[in-house]
Amino acid sequence: MNDMNDVNDAKGFNGMTTAPDDTVADPVADHVATLSAALHGPVRAKSRMIQEIWDGLTDTVEAHTRDGLPHDEAARLAVREFGTPEELVPSCQRELTIAQTRRTALSVTLTVPFLIACWHLIWSAGQGWQLHHTAQLLAVQLAAVAAVATLLAAAALAATGALARGLRTPERLPLAVAWAGTTAGVAMVVATLALAVLSPLATNWPLVTLAAMVTALSHGMVASSARACRRCARLPVT
C-alpha cells in the first residue's frame, strides 16, 4: 500500500498544481518528482512536505522572474539555491521516519490495551469452565509481551513528541518501534487463538468470534504500520 502511494506521489505530486503541458521539462517539476520518488513515509506527512517544497520553489521562481530573469533560468536558479535531491533527501527522510515511528507507536499504544481487555473478557467468561492451564499460561505470557511492547511504544511517543522536539531522536528508535509493533501484532493473534482453541468456550462463541475479528483488524493495522516503519528506519538520514 505504501509503495503504491509512493508511486502515485512521484507521478502526480499528491494532487498539487503541476506545470502546464508545455513545461514538462521544467526543472522545478523534475526536482520535486525526484524528491517525491526518493522519500518514504506516511502519505499525509509526505504530501504535506512535497507540497511545501513545491510552493517554496514556485515562490522563489516568481521572485527571480520579477527581477527580470526568464522563467527557465529562474527555475534552474531556484533549484540550485534550494539544494540537490541528494542534499535534501536525508533530512527530509529523517522527518518522515519520525512521523512513521510516531504512527506505529500510536497504533500499538491504542490497540494493544484494547485487545488485552478483550482477552480478559474471554478469560473471565471461561473461569467457570476451568480454562486449560496451557491456555492460561500462554495468554499471560503473550499479554506480558504485548504490554512491554506498548510501554516501548508509549516511550517512543514521548521521545518524539513536542516536549522532546529539541532533542535528537535516538537512531535505533524507529527500528525498535517497528519490531515492537511486529511483536505486539504476533502476540495479539497467538493469544487470541490460544484462548479460542485451547479453552472450552463453546457456549461463549460469539465473544470469541468478536475478539478474533477485532484482533484481525488490529493486527492488520499494526503489522502494516510496523512494516512501513522498518522500511523508513533502514533509509539513510542525517
Side-chain angles (χ1 to χ4, degrees):
M1 185 69 178
N2 287 285
D3 293 340
M4 182 64 69
N5 288 323
D6 291 338
V7 171
N8 292 334
D9 292 347
K11 290 181 178 179
F13 311 129
N14 289 296
M16 62 186 169
T17 304
T18 55
D21 291 341
D22 58 348
T23 58
V24 172
D26 181 21
V28 170
D30 291 343
H31 188 75
V32 175
T34 301
L35 281 174
S36 182
L39 296 173
H40 303 281
V43 174
R44 289 185 181 179
K46 178 179 172 179
S47 298
R48 195 162 48 245
M49 176 181 291
I50 294 297
Q51 184 66 58
E52 290 174 356
I53 293 172
W54 177 274
D55 291 342
L57 284 168
T58 300
D59 291 343
T60 304
V61 171
E62 290 177 354
H64 287 320
T65 55
R66 285 196 299 268
D67 291 338
L69 289 178
H71 181 274
D72 291 346
E73 185 176 345
R76 288 192 292 270
L77 180 59
V79 168
R80 284 199 301 271
E81 292 174 348
F82 205 77
T84 65
E86 291 76 13
E87 294 170 338
L88 296 175
V89 164
S91 59
C92 291
Q93 184 57 58
R94 178 178 183 273
E95 184 176 339
L96 290 177
T97 297
I98 292 175
Q100 183 62 59
T101 300
R102 288 186 57 80
R103 171 169 292 193
T104 302
L106 184 61
S107 67
V108 173
T109 304
L110 293 179
T111 58
V112 172
F114 181 72
L115 260 296
I116 291 178
C118 289
W119 300 340
H120 178 70
L121 286 176
I122 297 175
W123 195 321
S124 299
Q127 283 182 350
W129 291 80
Q130 190 60 42
L131 287 176
H132 195 286
H133 178 71
T134 303
Q136 291 184 6
L137 184 60
L138 184 59
V140 169
Q141 290 178 340
L142 291 171
V145 170
V148 171
T150 303
L151 290 175
L152 175 59
L157 285 175
T160 56
L163 295 178
R165 189 151 296 181
L167 303 176
R168 185 173 179 84
T169 302
E171 293 183 5
R172 296 185 179 276
L173 182 62
L175 193 58
V177 170
W179 282 112
T182 299
T183 301
V186 172
M188 290 179 193
V189 174
V190 177
T192 302
L193 288 175
L195 289 175
V197 175
L198 299 179
S199 303
L201 295 178
T203 60
N204 294 295
W205 64 264
L207 180 60
V208 176
T209 301
L210 178 60
M213 293 174 60
V214 173
T215 299
L217 292 174
S218 300
H219 172 73
M221 182 174 66
V222 172
S224 175
S225 184
R227 283 194 300 270
C229 192
R230 274 199 303 277
R231 180 182 186 185
C232 289
R234 292 181 177 126
L235 296 173
V237 296
T238 57

